[in-house]
């Protein structure tokens, strides 16, 4: 498993590629305000599966898990521990 | 003069308290309310425009029921409406407004404004008392609405369509698929796209209800499926990428949708892998592919899916809706008959559903809407190449400008993309050709590695079609209309701008 700090940096780097020019470090409403839309979710699921070897079930594809880099990290750690 | 929008609105008021539209905030409009509010807003627009007719009213639309009477009221006042997506970047909306110079911009939020244009929020309009006698008789052959073309070449034009054209399509659409007042339609497509007219006018014509689904649901597939189930949605017309949100994450296997009986797709090629998951989950539902262009009202072709397709096959575009003329013309302009399968030609559209014109652009109108072969009226050349199959269904081959020649072979870039999409782990594909270097480049998105994709393509394509280089992208770039941005890809990966 990747160390937590490194994981968050990697998540932020993935987010910066998918949402260029957006404040992905501080924002806590990335999904609620539509910046992470359906296309971005598909891309994130693919990138997270490659980077962190997790399969995200549809029950986790909800705004609460995608509003911030922290929320995404928490979800990924939870899924890694569950397997 | 043929009857216009006032006729159908007056007629649908007979459904009274039945729900016509509802949205995800819980708001709804009955048919009686829709009629009353549309008359109210129509009267208000009439006052504001001091009797001017035939001019655009721009409507900055969101996903709420409040938009509907604004659109219909604008049409009742003798203007035509131009729906603009409220989530568009401001600069793009400005450019659209500047291009059409609307009499009025109607928005849903108070306190905003559109620099240089007369802006009013819906709430400021409700105070007017409805007065049907003040509304002008509106000719069904005059423009009802305007839609911006997809602008895949970078330039977007406003296409005007009449009430008569749209209703001739809606009537054929309702008859073909058997919609009735018992149906609940789940609307995904923004009002700024022509494909949304099916969700908007089917209720008016047959008494069905439309649930306007918020964009946010499409990033949350589980909640989206629950919404469809709980609202007992019976029919959806979505773009394939929206349908794929429910099929690709296994939602359909967990949340059953017993009321959903029609699943229609439009706007882009439906990935067969996703369609197969849908058909397995809903074996009794009807699945159909719809095809149309911005230059016609509604759709011109449809194909009901009745068999399983392989992942490298294309679902046919099908046959014309009743009342629509679709011709396949060869390079000399002669009609290719349906009993001559495998002769490729350009799809050309005629008949009542054809658009009226490009707004304020007689030159483009004259060059794009041209007289058809003898006995056929005006036609529009779509730029899409197709052929008939053995069953007499039209099948898409490629865009005319995506057909290239390499080492003496004619190659459809779409065939290479199709083969790539059949490879596991490839979600999107775009093939580019650099005519200077004589080189094919395939850009793709998805988890598949380059080596695996190369092996797959080797087994699926003749050697001369194998792309010289593969580029894995984190995401496929899209243009403002949600289609693959080929220009941006070509600039970055293919050393030029004017590459197909």
């Amino acid at each position: 498993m990747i160390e937590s700090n490194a994981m968050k940096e990697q998540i932020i780097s993935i987010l910066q590629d998918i949402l260029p020019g957006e404040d992905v470090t501080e924002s806590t409403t990335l999904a609620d305000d539509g910046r992470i839309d359906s296309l971005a979710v598909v891309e994130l699921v693919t990138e997270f599966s490659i980077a962190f070897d997790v399969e995200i079930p549809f029950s986790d594809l909800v705004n609460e898990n995608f509003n911030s880099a922290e929320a995404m990290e928490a979800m990924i750690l939870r899924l890694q521990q569950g397997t | 003069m043929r009857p216009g929008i006032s006729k159908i609105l007056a007629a649908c008021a007979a459904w009274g308290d039945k729900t016509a539209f509802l949205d995800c905030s819980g708001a709804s409009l009955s048919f009686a309310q829709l009629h009353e509010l549309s008359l109210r807003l129509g009267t208000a627009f009439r006052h504001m425009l001091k009797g001017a007719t035939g001019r655009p009213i721009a409507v900055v639309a969101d996903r709420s029921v409040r938009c509907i009477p604004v659109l219909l009221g604008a049409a009742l006042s003798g203007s035509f409406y131009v729906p603009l997506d409220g989530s568009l970047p401001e600069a793009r909306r400005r450019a659209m407004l500047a291009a059409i110079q609307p009499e009025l911009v109607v928005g849903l939020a108070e306190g905003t404004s559109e620099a240089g244009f007369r802006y009013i929020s819906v709430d400021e309009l409700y105070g007017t008392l409805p007065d049907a006698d003040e509304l002008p008789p509106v000719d069904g052959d005059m423009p009802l609405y305007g839609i911006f073309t997809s602008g895949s070449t970078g330039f977007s034009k406003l296409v005007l369509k009449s009430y008569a054209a749209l209703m001739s399509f809606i009537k054929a659409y309702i008859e073909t698929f058997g919609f009735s007042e018992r149906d609940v339609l789940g609307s995904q497509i923004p009002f700024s796209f022509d494909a949304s007219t099916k969700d908007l006018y089917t209720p008016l014509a047959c008494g069905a209800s439309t649930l306007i689904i918020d964009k946010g649901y499409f990033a949350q597939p589980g909640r989206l499926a629950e919404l469809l189930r709980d609202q007992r949605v019976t029919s959806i017309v979505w773009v394939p990428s929206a349908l794929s949100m429910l099929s690709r994450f296994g939602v359909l296997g967990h949340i059953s949708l017993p009321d959903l009986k029609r699943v229609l797709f439009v706007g882009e090629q439906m990935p067969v892998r996703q369609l197969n998951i849908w058909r397995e989950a809903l074996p009794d539902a009807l699945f159909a592919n719809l095809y149309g262009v911005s230059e016609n009202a509604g759709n011109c072709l449809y194909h009901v899916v009745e068999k399983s397709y392989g992942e490298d096959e294309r679902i046919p575009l099908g046959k014309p809706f009743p009342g629509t003329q679709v011709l396949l013309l060869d390079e000399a302009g002669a009609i290719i008959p349906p009993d001559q399968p495998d002769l490729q030609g350009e799809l050309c559209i005629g008949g009542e559903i054809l658009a009226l014109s490009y707004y304020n652009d007689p030159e483009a109108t004259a060059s794009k809407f041209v007289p058809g072969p003898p006995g056929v009226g005006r036609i529009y050349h779509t730029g899409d190449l197709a052929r008939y199959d053995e069953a007499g269904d039209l099948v898409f081959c490629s865009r005319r400008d995506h057909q290239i020649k390499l080492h003496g072979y004619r190659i459809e870039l779409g065939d290479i993309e199709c083969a790539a999409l059949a490879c596991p782990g490839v979600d999107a594909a775009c093939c580019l050709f650099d005519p200077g270097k004589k080189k094919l480049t395939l850009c793709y998105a998805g988890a598949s590695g380059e080596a695996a994709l190369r092996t797959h393509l080797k087994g699926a394509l003749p050697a001369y079609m194998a792309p010289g280089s593969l580029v894995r992208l984190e995401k496929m770039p899209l243009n403002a209309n949600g289609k693959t941005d080929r220009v941006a890809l070509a600039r970055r990966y293919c050393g030029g701008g004017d590459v197909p």
Side-chain angles (χ1 to χ4, degrees):
Chain A
M1 192 187 299
I2 301 165
E3 194 199 325
S4 177
N5 232 354
M7 176 184 276
K8 194 172 162 207
E9 270 167 37
Q10 212 174 338
I11 291 172
I12 286 171
S13 144
I14 290 170
L15 282 169
Q16 277 166 341
D17 283 342
I18 289 176
L19 303 173
E22 300 279 354
D23 171 23
V24 294
T25 321
E26 299 295 322
S27 177
T28 56
T29 53
L30 288 170
D32 283 344
D33 59 22
R35 280 179 287 170
I36 290 187
D37 60 6
S38 57
L39 295 173
V41 162
V42 173
E43 289 151 10
L44 287 173
V45 168
T46 304
E47 295 308 317
F48 289 163
S49 78
I50 295 171
F52 308 116
D53 194 27
V54 284
E55 241 188 80
I56 304 175
F58 75 82
S59 50
D60 272 317
L61 300 178
V62 290
N63 284 2
E64 297 88 302
N65 287 340
F66 287 87
N67 268 331
S68 65
E70 279 86 25
M72 292 179 226
E73 184 188 21
M75 168 183 68
I76 292 166
L77 285 172
R78 175 165 52 75
L79 289 169
Q80 283 181 336
Q81 278 154 15
T83 54
Chain B
M1 190 171 113
R2 290 204 280 178
I5 183 78
S6 55
K7 187 185 158 203
I8 196 173
L9 259 176
C12 80
W15 277 294
D17 291 337
K18 184 176 186 301
T19 300
F21 293 94
L22 64 160
D23 65 29
C24 294
S25 76
S28 68
L29 282 178
S30 70
F31 282 97
Q33 286 170 319
L34 179 68
H35 181 236
E36 202 268 350
L37 280 174
S38 302
L39 283 179
R40 193 176 276 265
L41 296 184
T43 309
F45 290 137
R46 186 78 177 151
H47 291 169
M48 292 184 73
L49 300 187
K50 301 191 168 61
T53 57
R55 298 273 300 131
I57 292 181
V59 181
V60 182
D62 64 3
R63 302 298 290 160
S64 74
V65 295
R66 295 198 305 158
C67 298
I68 313 292
V70 180
L71 303 176
L72 299 176
L76 280 174
S77 76
S79 303
F80 62 87
Y81 64 82
V82 181
L84 300 178
D85 192 335
S87 62
L88 278 182
E90 204 178 313
R92 179 154 171 93
R93 188 164 74 236
R94 284 266 159 76
M96 288 172 150
L97 290 173
I100 59 170
Q101 297 290 320
E103 290 290 327
L104 199 59
V105 182
V106 187
L108 298 157
E110 245 172 298
T112 46
S113 67
E114 292 288 345
F117 296 97
R118 191 173 172 197
Y119 179 89
I120 190 153
S121 78
V122 184
D123 294 329
E124 296 171 68
L125 294 166
Y126 287 128
T128 311
L129 287 177
D131 185 353
D133 293 337
E134 277 199 56
L135 297 173
V138 179
D139 188 339
D141 287 314
M142 294 298 286
L144 170 72
Y145 65 111
I147 295 284
F148 277 96
T149 58
S150 64
S152 50
T153 49
F155 182 70
S156 188
K157 297 189 273 297
L158 187 74
V159 199
L160 301 185
K161 300 167 214 201
S162 70
Y163 173 82
L166 180 62
M167 290 327 283
S168 113
F169 165 72
I170 292 288
K171 192 168 159 266
Y173 177 68
I174 290 173
E175 280 170 14
T176 300
F177 295 113
F179 291 105
S180 76
E181 75 278 4
R182 288 183 301 277
D183 278 301
V184 180
L185 318 178
S187 161
Q188 173 261 321
I189 297 172
F191 296 120
S192 53
F193 289 87
D194 192 278
S196 68
T197 54
K198 292 180 275 291
D199 298 325
L200 190 50
Y201 287 89
T202 303
L204 303 188
C206 77
S209 307
T210 288
L211 167 71
I212 303 168
I213 304 173
D214 216 78
K215 204 174 159 220
Y217 275 92
F218 291 88
Q220 307 181 81
R223 287 177 181 163
L224 176 59
E226 285 163 6
L227 179 75
L228 296 180
R229 182 194 61 198
D230 297 347
Q231 296 288 341
R232 311 195 66 170
V233 168
T234 63
S235 301
I236 53 178
V237 191
W238 290 1
V239 296
S241 54
L243 287 172
S244 300
M245 284 307 286
L246 291 185
S247 49
R248 72 191 320 154
F249 297 112
V251 182
L252 293 172
H254 284 85
I255 298 172
S256 69
L257 301 170
D259 294 298
L260 189 57
K261 55 184 184 193
R262 297 181 200 87
V263 178
L264 312 181
F265 35 96
V266 68
E268 55 195 50
Q269 196 93 234
M270 179 76 196
V272 172
R273 190 183 310 160
Q274 304 304 325
L275 177 63
N276 288 344
I277 297 172
W278 267 97
R279 290 186 72 218
E280 202 173 306
L282 296 175
D284 298 326
L286 174 141
F287 290 86
N289 189 16
L290 307 181
Y291 168 87
V293 292
S294 300
E295 283 77 2
N296 68 243
N299 300 102
C300 55
L301 293 170
Y302 74 99
H303 178 74
V304 175
V305 177
E306 271 158 356
K307 65 171 191 111
S308 285
Y309 288 87
E311 290 189 2
D312 54 349
E313 283 184 288
R314 286 203 174 99
I315 298 150
L317 304 176
K319 296 188 168 76
F321 278 102
T324 299
Q325 262 180 318
V326 178
L327 304 174
L328 199 56
L329 298 186
D330 67 16
E331 278 174 26
I335 297 175
I336 299 171
D339 61 4
Q340 296 232 355
D342 300 325
L343 273 184
Q344 187 172 278
E346 183 178 10
L347 277 177
C348 297
I349 301 169
E352 186 140 45
I353 65 163
L354 214 53
L356 296 167
S357 63
Y358 295 114
Y359 183 54
N360 274 350
D361 198 341
E363 219 168 279
T365 303
S367 75
K368 291 289 195 174
F369 296 91
V370 297
V376 180
R378 235 168 31 118
I379 58 168
Y380 171 77
H381 287 256
T382 64
D384 285 339
L385 300 174
R387 61 177 174 81
Y388 288 103
D389 66 12
E390 306 296 331
D393 284 313
L394 284 159
V395 180
F396 179 80
C397 298
S398 73
R399 286 289 300 166
R400 197 173 51 185
D401 45 8
H402 293 172
Q403 192 174 79
I404 58 125
K405 246 187 160 176
L406 180 60
H407 310 310
Y409 294 103
R410 197 180 68 186
I411 295 176
E412 319 282 2
L413 297 179
D415 286 348
I416 300 171
E417 293 163 2
C418 219
L421 285 171
C423 177
V426 173
D427 297 329
C430 176
C431 190
L432 304 162
F433 179 61
D434 183 337
K437 290 186 189 152
K438 300 264 175 227
K439 187 183 163 196
L440 288 164
T441 299
L442 179 74
C443 301
Y444 73 99
S448 171
E450 284 184 22
L453 176 56
R454 194 168 288 285
T455 309
H456 171 86
L457 291 175
K458 213 171 163 186
L461 295 171
Y464 65 85
M465 287 174 77
S469 56
L470 300 180
V471 181
R472 180 178 172 263
L473 304 171
E474 215 146 88
K475 70 187 275 195
M476 195 54 83
L478 301 177
N479 65 22
N481 282 290
K483 304 207 168 167
T484 303
D485 193 340
R486 305 184 73 93
V487 178
L489 284 174
R491 210 176 288 134
R492 178 121 191 240
Y493 300 107
C494 211
D498 298 331
V499 184

